[in-house]
Each structure stands twice: as C-alpha cells, then as structure tokens.
Amino acid sequence: MRERIVIVATVALLLVVLAALNAASYVRVDEQPDTESKPDRSTINAGATGARALHDFLNEAGHKVVRWREPPSALLREGAASPATFVVIGTLRRPFEKDETESVLRWVERGGRLVVIDRMPNPALLPEAGGWQLTSEIVNYPDEEAKPDDAGKMTAGMPPQMPIQPTRLTRDIEHVAPSRFAGRLTLYEIKPDEDSDKGDGIDTPPPVAAEASPTPVDVWKEIFGSTDQTDSSSPPPPPKPAPGTTPTPLLSGPVRHFAYAVADDEGASGEGALLIDYAHGAGRIVVLSDPFIVSNGGISRADNLQLALNIVTDAGGIIAFDEFHQGRAASQNYLIAYFAGTPVLAMCAQLAVIVLAVVWSRGRRFARPLPAARVDRRSKLEFVASMAELQQRARAYDLAIENIYTRTRRALARYGGAP
C-alpha cells in the first residue's frame, strides 16, 4: 500500500500540472483600451491610436510596405530589400540606443528618408541642419478623458491648418485636421560664438530660404510642373535631371510646410510648425508633430490621408514602419513565433510533461526487489539425448526399456482397443 501512495501522488501531480498548462493557454487577460496617455502606435494595432489603416491602405494601393522588426543596423545592409523610407511613429515602447541612433543617421546620410511622427520627437534623431536645431513642445497634454476614437473631441478647438507654401509634401492638400494635442516644432539658430552649455540659442525665425523660394512660380513649376493657368510670360521650368542621378533639392535649409498660431481652450497660445523637413547628408529627415494625423482614428479627417501619403511615399521604394521599437521585434525561433497564440505550444508542453513522467516512473522501483526469473534454456530433445547417451554408456538397457515401457504399453492398448 505504501508503494501505491507514491504512484497515486505522481498521477495527481501530473493532472494538476496539465490543468495549470491548460489554464495558462486558454485564460487570457483582457487587453487595455487605447488611450492618448498610453497609445499603441504600431501598424499591427487596429485600435484608434494604431496605424494599421495607413499600412493596409499603402499595401492595397500597390506600394511596397514592410513591418521592420530588425535592429536599425540592418538598414545599412545593401540589397534590393533595403528600404527607401523609414517611419517611426509615436511614443516607443523600446527607446533608441546610442548605437541604433547612429545607424539610422548614417543610413540617412547615405540617401535614406527618415520620417519621425511624434509630439515630442527624440532629439537624438534630429541632428542640426545648417546651423539650425529643431525642437518641439506640447501645449496641451493628453489626459485620461481624451478618447482617441472620438475625433470630434480630439480636434476640438483646433482649426484646420492650411499649407503655408506649395511643396512636394503639400500637393493636393487643402487643409489638414490635427488634434489639439499636437506638438509645436520650432527652429533655433545655433550661434558659433556661444558656449555649448548655454542651450540651443535664441528662438529666431528660420531664414528666408527655409520658408519660400526667391520665385514662387519656379517653386510651383518644380513641384507640380507647368499648367495652363500659368502666364505664358513666366520663365520656363528648370531642366529635368538625367536618368540615374539624384536631383538637387530646391531648398537646402529646413522647410516649414504647415505653421500655425492658435490658442487652446485654456487660453495658452502655441506658435510653431506642424511639419518640417530638412536635408541630412544625401538623405532627408521629415518631422510631423502629431501622430493623430496618421492614426486609425484621425487619418480620415480632412486631407490627413493625403498628407500621410505625401510624407511616406515621396521617396518611392520600400516603406518600412519601425516595429522593432514598438516591442514587436522578430523572434529568433521562427517555429515558435509561427505557432504563437495557438494551442499547439500548450499541447507540446503537455506531451513533454507526460513523457518526463513516464521516463521518471520507468526509472524508479515502486515495490520490493524481486529476483530475476531463471529461464531453462534446454529443450526436451536435449534432455532425452543426454539421458540416452548416459544409459548407452552404462549399458543399462533394462533401464531404457523401463523408461519407454509404460508409454509404449499405453499407446498399444489405445490402438488395440484394450484396457
């Protein structure tokens, strides 16, 4: 009985372990709803703060779109799979490391296009441009009552913003509808005679070249081409670059595409820009200070979708959305990643527990030791041959007759029908 207690306890423990595995596999914690205070800007998220609508629209429109799950150092790899545009949206769940920032900026210097969409962009991703430093500030901070799925409340008190000049990023746009929590982008001039510990410098307006070209007609023709509405006396458009060459940008300094001066509900004013881009090496950095414009909850407002398309598709090529810093890095074990979220992994774990229990039980003795069974490996013919040889050598013929007499007499009686 004592030996059976161990067996019963083992079986009971095995059942408890299997039940725990089942509970862990099928009982799921309810996901937290999307809020502006804790948004999820991933392209996988179909909630109001996600960017899945933009990703799916680009994919269905024929653009090459990928979810980038590798470290930024992979951007430096040459090949057909190298993206032309790298999009970083919103507050990240995994911050950029120093070496990752250096990899991204080195990739931009080689001709890449970095698109940063955030109310407070990471300063490490915004290097200075021609003596100007780009910063951002937030006038209205999102609170718990801000519901990202209610576009009316998200844009309350914020008038539609119109482009301040015709550029490639403002084509086909009449006005956009940012949220009241949008950041204010500001350009600060970095004076060379100031010490590095005195901050960013004095807030001064950008140079004239950063806001408009010397001739607006030339700007319009460079971006949109010649139209019938232009005057015949206007100068002809500049010649197109030769095939295979990179066109020289029309404006080399930071360009402000949307700028506003508004007052919020509490009376606090906020001046600055909504969209700025500037050159960095052979590439370009685009900064949009409101993720609401590209989010699922705000992309359908006004011309927000057109602005998002202009920003991410202007460079052509592959468009990569950063999912690595959204906490969705690629798994090293692709088999486990393929079956993640299915009962297959729980079934394999249960089978492993059962196999371990069988191996453990087969390797233990649950009763008193028993002697090994002795098997007689000799056959009957071998016994008869041995006895016959002994009787032959002893010349015991009478003993041999006596051994077979009884059997022979019984057989003859049976055949003869005698008792």
Coordinates of all heavy atoms in Angstrom, one line a residue, residues 209-253:
A209 N 15.1 81.4 -47.1 CA 15.2 80.3 -47.9 C 14.5 79.1 -47.4 O 14.1 78.2 -48.1 CB 16.6 79.9 -48.2
A210 N 14.3 79.0 -46.0 CA 13.6 77.9 -45.4 C 12.1 78.0 -45.6 O 11.4 77.1 -45.4 CB 14.0 77.8 -44.0
E211 N 11.6 79.3 -45.9 CA 10.2 79.4 -45.9 C 9.6 79.5 -47.3 O 8.5 79.1 -47.6 CB 9.7 80.7 -45.1 CG 10.1 80.6 -43.7 CD 9.1 81.2 -42.8 OE1 8.0 81.7 -43.3 OE2 9.3 81.3 -41.6
A212 N 10.4 80.1 -48.2 CA 9.9 80.3 -49.6 C 11.1 80.4 -50.5 O 12.2 80.9 -50.1 CB 9.0 81.5 -49.7
S213 N 10.9 80.1 -51.8 CA 12.0 80.3 -52.8 C 12.0 81.7 -53.2 O 11.0 82.4 -53.1 CB 11.8 79.3 -53.9 OG 10.5 79.6 -54.5
P214 N 13.0 82.1 -53.9 CA 13.0 83.5 -54.4 C 11.9 83.8 -55.4 O 11.4 84.9 -55.4 CB 14.4 83.6 -55.1 CG 15.3 82.6 -54.4 CD 14.3 81.5 -54.0
T215 N 11.6 82.8 -56.2 CA 10.5 83.0 -57.2 C 9.4 81.9 -57.0 O 9.7 80.7 -57.2 CB 11.1 82.8 -58.6 OG1 12.2 83.7 -58.8 CG2 10.0 83.2 -59.7
P216 N 8.2 82.3 -56.6 CA 7.2 81.3 -56.3 C 6.8 80.5 -57.6 O 6.4 79.4 -57.5 CB 6.0 82.1 -55.8 CG 6.7 83.4 -55.3 CD 7.8 83.6 -56.1
V217 N 6.9 81.2 -58.7 CA 6.5 80.4 -60.0 C 7.4 79.3 -60.2 O 7.0 78.2 -60.6 CB 6.5 81.4 -61.2 CG1 6.2 80.7 -62.5 CG2 5.4 82.5 -60.9
D218 N 8.7 79.5 -60.0 CA 9.7 78.5 -60.2 C 9.4 77.3 -59.2 O 9.6 76.1 -59.6 CB 11.1 79.0 -60.0 CG 11.5 80.0 -61.1 OD1 10.8 79.9 -62.1 OD2 12.4 80.8 -60.9
V219 N 9.1 77.6 -58.0 CA 8.8 76.6 -57.0 C 7.6 75.8 -57.5 O 7.6 74.5 -57.4 CB 8.5 77.2 -55.6 CG1 8.1 76.1 -54.6 CG2 9.7 78.0 -55.1
W220 N 6.5 76.5 -57.9 CA 5.3 75.7 -58.4 C 5.6 74.8 -59.6 O 5.2 73.7 -59.7 CB 4.3 76.8 -58.7 CG 2.9 76.1 -59.0 CD1 2.5 75.7 -60.2 CD2 1.9 75.9 -58.1 NE1 1.3 75.2 -60.1 CE2 0.9 75.2 -58.8 CE3 1.8 76.1 -56.8 CZ2 -0.3 74.9 -58.2 CZ3 0.6 75.7 -56.1 CH2 -0.4 75.1 -56.9
K221 N 6.4 75.3 -60.5 CA 6.7 74.5 -61.7 C 7.6 73.4 -61.3 O 7.6 72.3 -61.9 CB 7.4 75.4 -62.8 CG 6.4 76.4 -63.5 CD 7.2 77.2 -64.5 CE 6.2 78.0 -65.4 NZ 5.4 77.0 -66.2
E222 N 8.5 73.5 -60.4 CA 9.4 72.5 -60.0 C 8.7 71.3 -59.3 O 9.0 70.1 -59.5 CB 10.5 73.0 -59.0 CG 11.4 71.9 -58.3 CD 12.3 71.3 -59.3 OE1 12.5 71.8 -60.4 OE2 12.8 70.2 -59.0
I223 N 7.6 71.7 -58.6 CA 6.9 70.7 -57.8 C 5.7 70.0 -58.7 O 5.6 68.8 -58.8 CB 6.3 71.3 -56.6 CG1 7.4 71.8 -55.7 CG2 5.4 70.3 -55.8 CD1 7.0 72.6 -54.5
F224 N 4.9 70.9 -59.3 CA 3.7 70.5 -60.0 C 3.8 70.4 -61.5 O 2.9 69.9 -62.2 CB 2.5 71.4 -59.6 CG 2.2 71.3 -58.1 CD1 2.7 72.3 -57.3 CD2 1.5 70.3 -57.6 CE1 2.4 72.3 -55.9 CE2 1.2 70.3 -56.2 CZ 1.7 71.3 -55.4
G225 N 4.9 71.0 -62.0 CA 5.0 71.0 -63.5 C 4.2 72.2 -64.0 O 3.5 72.9 -63.4
S226 N 4.4 72.4 -65.3 CA 3.7 73.5 -66.0 C 2.2 73.2 -66.1 O 1.8 72.1 -66.4 CB 4.3 73.8 -67.3 OG 4.1 72.7 -68.2
T227 N 1.3 74.2 -65.9 CA -0.1 74.1 -66.1 C -0.6 75.2 -67.0 O 0.1 76.1 -67.4 CB -0.8 74.2 -64.7 OG1 -0.5 75.5 -64.2 CG2 -0.3 73.1 -63.8
D228 N -1.8 75.0 -67.4 CA -2.4 76.0 -68.3 C -2.7 77.3 -67.6 O -3.0 78.3 -68.3 CB -3.7 75.5 -68.9 CG -3.4 74.2 -69.8 OD1 -2.3 74.1 -70.3 OD2 -4.4 73.4 -70.0
Q229 N -2.8 77.3 -66.3 CA -3.2 78.5 -65.5 C -2.0 79.5 -65.4 O -2.2 80.6 -65.0 CB -3.7 78.1 -64.1 CG -4.9 77.3 -64.2 CD -5.4 76.8 -62.8 OE1 -4.8 77.2 -61.8 NE2 -6.5 76.2 -62.8
T230 N -0.8 79.0 -65.7 CA 0.4 79.9 -65.5 C 0.5 80.9 -66.7 O 0.0 80.6 -67.8 CB 1.7 79.1 -65.4 OG1 1.8 78.3 -66.6 CG2 1.6 78.2 -64.2
D231 N 1.1 82.0 -66.5 CA 1.2 83.0 -67.5 C 2.2 82.6 -68.5 O 3.3 82.0 -68.2 CB 1.6 84.4 -66.8 CG 1.6 85.5 -67.9 OD1 1.1 85.3 -69.0 OD2 2.0 86.6 -67.5
S232 N 2.0 82.9 -69.8 CA 2.9 82.5 -70.8 C 4.2 83.2 -70.8 O 5.2 82.8 -71.3 CB 2.3 82.7 -72.2 OG 1.9 84.1 -72.4
S233 N 4.2 84.4 -70.1 CA 5.4 85.1 -69.9 C 6.3 84.7 -68.8 O 7.4 85.2 -68.6 CB 5.1 86.6 -69.7 OG 4.3 86.8 -68.5
S234 N 5.8 83.7 -68.0 CA 6.6 83.2 -66.9 C 7.8 82.4 -67.4 O 7.7 81.8 -68.4 CB 5.8 82.4 -65.9 OG 5.3 81.3 -66.6
P235 N 8.9 82.4 -66.6 CA 10.1 81.7 -67.1 C 9.8 80.2 -67.2 O 9.0 79.6 -66.5 CB 11.1 82.0 -66.0 CG 10.3 82.3 -64.8 CD 9.1 83.0 -65.3
P236 N 10.5 79.5 -68.1 CA 10.3 78.0 -68.2 C 10.8 77.3 -67.0 O 11.6 77.7 -66.3 CB 11.1 77.7 -69.5 CG 12.1 78.7 -69.5 CD 11.5 80.0 -69.0
P237 N 10.2 76.0 -66.8 CA 10.7 75.2 -65.7 C 12.1 74.8 -65.8 O 12.6 74.7 -66.9 CB 9.7 74.1 -65.7 CG 9.3 73.9 -67.1 CD 9.2 75.3 -67.6
P238 N 12.8 74.5 -64.7 CA 14.2 74.0 -64.8 C 14.3 72.7 -65.5 O 13.3 71.9 -65.5 CB 14.7 74.0 -63.4 CG 13.4 73.8 -62.6 CD 12.4 74.5 -63.4
P239 N 15.4 72.4 -66.1 CA 15.5 71.1 -66.8 C 15.5 69.9 -65.9 O 15.9 70.0 -64.7 CB 16.9 71.2 -67.5 CG 17.7 72.2 -66.7 CD 16.6 73.2 -66.2
K240 N 15.0 68.8 -66.4 CA 14.9 67.6 -65.5 C 16.2 67.0 -65.4 O 17.1 67.0 -66.3 CB 13.9 66.6 -66.1 CG 12.5 67.1 -66.2 CD 11.5 66.1 -66.7 CE 10.1 66.6 -66.8 NZ 9.2 65.6 -67.3
P241 N 16.5 66.3 -64.2 CA 17.8 65.7 -64.1 C 18.0 64.5 -65.0 O 17.0 63.9 -65.4 CB 17.8 65.3 -62.6 CG 16.4 65.2 -62.2 CD 15.7 66.2 -63.1
A242 N 19.2 64.1 -65.3 CA 19.4 63.0 -66.1 C 19.1 61.7 -65.4 O 19.1 61.6 -64.2 CB 20.9 62.9 -66.5
P243 N 18.7 60.7 -66.2 CA 18.3 59.4 -65.5 C 19.4 58.8 -64.7 O 20.6 58.8 -65.2 CB 17.9 58.5 -66.7 CG 17.6 59.4 -67.8 CD 18.5 60.6 -67.6
G244 N 19.1 58.3 -63.5 CA 20.1 57.7 -62.7 C 20.8 58.6 -61.8 O 21.7 58.3 -61.0
T245 N 20.5 59.9 -61.8 CA 21.1 60.9 -61.0 C 20.2 61.4 -60.0 O 18.9 61.4 -60.2 CB 21.7 62.1 -61.8 OG1 20.5 62.7 -62.5 CG2 22.7 61.7 -62.9
T246 N 20.7 61.9 -58.8 CA 19.8 62.4 -57.7 C 19.6 63.9 -58.0 O 20.6 64.7 -58.1 CB 20.5 62.2 -56.4 OG1 20.8 60.8 -56.2 CG2 19.6 62.7 -55.3
P247 N 18.3 64.4 -58.1 CA 18.1 65.8 -58.3 C 18.5 66.6 -57.1 O 18.4 66.2 -56.0 CB 16.6 65.8 -58.5 CG 16.0 64.6 -57.8 CD 17.1 63.6 -57.9
T248 N 19.0 67.8 -57.4 CA 19.4 68.7 -56.3 C 18.2 69.3 -55.7 O 17.3 69.8 -56.4 CB 20.3 69.8 -56.9 OG1 21.4 69.3 -57.6 CG2 20.8 70.8 -55.8
P249 N 18.1 69.3 -54.4 CA 16.9 69.9 -53.7 C 16.8 71.3 -54.0 O 17.8 72.1 -54.0 CB 17.1 69.5 -52.2 CG 18.6 69.3 -52.1 CD 19.0 68.7 -53.4
L250 N 15.5 71.8 -54.2 CA 15.3 73.2 -54.5 C 15.7 74.1 -53.3 O 16.2 75.2 -53.5 CB 13.8 73.4 -54.9 CG 13.4 74.8 -55.3 CD1 14.2 75.1 -56.6 CD2 11.9 74.9 -55.6
L251 N 15.3 73.6 -52.1 CA 15.6 74.4 -50.9 C 16.5 73.6 -50.0 O 16.2 72.4 -49.7 CB 14.3 74.7 -50.1 CG 13.3 75.6 -50.9 CD1 12.0 75.8 -50.1 CD2 13.9 76.9 -51.4
S252 N 17.7 74.1 -49.6 CA 18.6 73.3 -48.9 C 18.4 73.4 -47.4 O 18.8 72.5 -46.6 CB 20.0 73.8 -49.2 OG 20.2 75.1 -48.9
G253 N 17.8 74.5 -46.9 CA 17.6 74.6 -45.5 C 16.3 74.0 -45.0 O 15.6 73.4 -45.8

